[in-house]
Amino acid sequence: MTSQYRVNYHLRSHKRDNLIEFIKGMLLTPFVLHPHDEESKATQEQENANRYAGIFGSIEMLIDEHRELLQAGIPTHSRLAKLVPSIGTFFTRLPLEAAFRHINRTNRISARKHVPPSFNDIRRILNMAQVMAIAPELQLVTFDGDMTLYADGQNFADDSPLTVLLIRLLRQGINVAIVTAAGYGTDAMRYEQRLSGLLRGFAKEELTPAQVARFYVLGGECNFLFRCRADYRL
């Protein structure tokens, strides 16, 4: 996805999230209070990472407490509910500390000197924590088509790097579904055309009938369901 489609959610009031804003405020404290020029770069980066990780670990515990009190029927008694009154329901644990360390290894959030952790940084960490939480029991992954797997109005390219990742999911026994608003009725060939590069990738990798049977296309705003056959067609 190109940069023109990236959204700065912080600038859109109807898309702000009070939990993310709360976490952002917590992370701002160590960023402001601890100087960046008294120690070596590597040492400072590691200490910043530990400070941020500690904060995410504390928020993780607040979420665990909130989930326990939710099960007891008194979620408003949790400390998190008092800090973020609009907080909703957490259906799984969120390993936030582990998610932060994973994201920080590539994004190096703790190495920044002039830009504190942003709304989008925290949103990415929350997303990663959710992925980590559901991964052991994951059975189904769904994707939109346009602007997610391929450019708007275009077809799935033969050289798309996503082909390898989707095939890996199918080989690991996970169901994969493309959920798209594109509506071609019961004309499976039209959907095949849009996903031609991916289907050819299945054939090239010689996926088994059992593996391709885990691939679905749900089109026309959830009105038409197709399943991949052993001949790599829908």
Side-chain angles (χ1 to χ4, degrees):
M1 186 180 297
T2 57
S3 60
Q4 64 178 315
Y5 295 117
R6 296 188 66 182
V7 177
N8 188 341
Y9 291 93
H10 180 69
L11 299 179
R12 302 193 176 196
S13 59
H14 67 289
K15 290 189 176 182
R16 290 180 186 171
D17 184 283
N18 291 331
L19 176 62
I20 294 180
E21 296 294 346
F22 168 71
I23 297 174
K24 183 180 175 182
M26 297 293 292
L27 296 174
L28 190 60
T29 301
F31 180 84
V32 172
L33 292 182
H34 295 279
H36 298 268
D37 55 356
E38 293 182 356
E39 304 174 55
S40 69
K41 182 177 179 181
T43 301
Q44 185 66 54
E45 182 176 349
Q46 184 58 50
E47 291 194 356
N48 287 342
N50 290 336
R51 293 184 188 108
Y52 290 151
I55 290 173
F56 277 109
S58 297
I59 295 170
E60 185 177 327
M61 289 189 290
L62 288 175
I63 292 174
D64 288 341
E65 178 196 67
H66 182 74
R67 294 184 70 235
E68 291 174 2
L69 293 176
L70 178 65
Q71 293 178 352
I74 49 175
T76 56
H77 290 202
S78 75
R79 289 177 292 169
L80 185 59
K82 292 178 172 61
L83 292 167
V84 188
S86 63
I87 199 69
T89 300
F90 296 90
F91 297 98
T92 67
R93 291 195 71 252
L94 290 180
L96 292 174
E97 182 174 351
F100 164 75
R101 292 192 181 280
H102 178 83
I103 294 293
N104 191 56
R105 281 196 292 270
T106 54
N107 290 25
R108 298 188 65 190
I109 297 172
S110 61
R112 298 177 189 168
K113 293 184 177 181
H114 307 291
V115 180
S118 69
F119 184 99
N120 287 337
D121 289 327
I122 298 166
R123 184 169 177 264
R124 187 179 300 112
I125 292 166
L126 287 168
N127 288 341
M128 177 58 67
Q130 186 65 81
V131 169
M132 289 179 167
I134 66 176
E137 300 178 358
L138 186 64
Q139 299 181 41
L140 170 67
V141 177
T142 65
F143 299 92
D144 189 10
D146 293 278
M147 294 175 57
T148 300
L149 297 180
Y150 41 81
D152 190 24
Q154 302 300 310
N155 298 334
F156 197 104
D158 289 82
D159 59 351
S160 173
L162 297 176
T163 300
V164 175
L165 301 177
L166 294 174
I167 288 174
R168 187 182 303 171
L169 290 174
L170 294 171
R171 283 176 168 163
Q172 291 178 346
I174 297 173
N175 295 286
V176 176
I178 310 300
V179 182
T180 174
Y184 307 123
T186 57
D187 188 356
M189 293 184 64
R190 294 289 300 279
Y191 291 101
E192 290 176 0
Q193 181 181 0
R194 298 296 305 277
L195 298 168
S196 56
L198 180 60
L199 295 175
R200 282 192 288 269
F202 291 171
K204 182 178 180 181
E205 291 296 320
E206 299 181 343
L207 295 188
T208 67
Q211 289 170 343
V212 295
R214 289 192 284 269
F215 181 74
Y216 300 85
V217 176
L218 187 58
E221 298 183 348
C222 300
N223 283 301
F224 306 100
L225 179 63
F226 302 88
R227 189 177 192 179
C228 193
R229 305 192 306 249
D231 61 354
Y232 310 109
R233 300 193 62 182
L234 300 177

